[in-house]
Amino acid sequence: MAVASTSLASQLSGPKSLSQSYSGLRRSCPKLDHSHSPRSLFQHLHSHLSLSSSRKASRAVVAMAGTGKFFVGGNWKCNGTKDSISKLVSDLNSAKLEPDVDVVVAPPFLYLDQVKSSLTDRIEISGQNSWVGKGGAFTGEISVEQLKDIGCKWVILGHSERRHVIGEDDQFIGKKAAYALNEGLGVIACIGEKLEEREAGKTFDICFQQLKAFADAVPSWENIVVAYEPVWAIGTGKVASPQQAQEVHVAVRDWLKKNVSAEVASKTRIIYGGSVNGGNSAELAKEEDIDGFLVGGASLKGPEFATIVNAVTSKKVAA
Ligand code: PGA
């Protein structure tokens, strides 16, 4: 799906000044100015309140700008042994998880079969990577067909460790996403800036460029979850503040609205990753464009991962 190149990014001066630039999708409160007659003010208020209550009735949550279900992924990376994974699976099987959340874990390839055959069906399985095309003579690679064969529903693509440690570029990642989607896997599409890019005021340029590479390649956005993962926050213990994450999430949603469609902008889950843990997830989840999390280190501990999944409750209306 081709998209127009963005001129928005080039107009932006730096992350700090940007929250005001991305107000397009915010739910606006009616302004009590004197230009409204009492009747039009009433109509304005009524339509605003109906919108809020219909959202509430259909999804039982508030503080979500998008319409997608909360989504939490656990990226186990290159960690674990048969024994530690069996303990993690048993902790996950006994965890109490809120129903209103899609929950996915991405074990290392070697343990996918073990996890699939021992983990509750409540939690779906993801690959951490996949080959760019059909399997064959590609030593060391894992194909989309094999991931599906073992029971995976998802694959993580564009993770910063694949981009910056292994050296995958935007176009290669876009092709991988297109292949996986065409074969019926969901894609957790990761984007995010490095520290020096943030400091140079290029956060949005980088995120939009990475998004555009996905958008240019993929057949549809139906099965994509976007994970915003600032590289400086991954595995460092330096989580983005809720406001820092929110301003990028709303910018991503706005980019999707302008460059793909309003429907895709509203339906696509935009999840945050980078040092999410049981202690910070509830505050992050309160931001209305944060539709879930991609969790690394803290997903290796079953009870803590469950706490992060259950952070969805901080979006719910107090009874
Ligand atoms: P982290 O990793 O939670 O350990 O920072 C997140 C990720 O890389 O997906």
Side-chain angles (χ1 to χ4, degrees), residues 75 77 159-161 229 233-237 273-276 294-298:
N75 176 8
K77 307 193 181 183
H159 191 278
S160 80
E161 286 142 21
E229 300 204 294
I234 296 179
T236 58
S275 296
V276 175
L294 185 56
V295 188

Side-chain angles (χ1 to χ4, degrees), residues 33-95:
D33 66 31
H34 298 296
S35 62
H36 286 107
S37 68
R39 185 176 161 76
S40 73
L41 177 61
F42 174 78
Q43 283 164 343
H44 194 167
L45 275 166
H46 182 259
S47 68
H48 177 74
L49 293 173
S50 322
L51 175 66
S52 305
S53 63
S54 68
R55 279 171 177 263
K56 205 159 95 184
S58 62
R59 299 176 42 244
V61 293
V62 291
M64 278 183 94
T67 55
K69 195 172 175 185
F70 204 72
F71 183 106
V72 178
N75 176 8
W76 297 356
K77 307 193 181 183
C78 187
N79 291 296
T81 59
K82 278 201 280 189
D83 283 352
S84 71
I85 283 176
S86 143
K87 160 93 172 72
L88 179 51
V89 166
S90 119
D91 286 348
L92 291 173
N93 286 345
S94 57

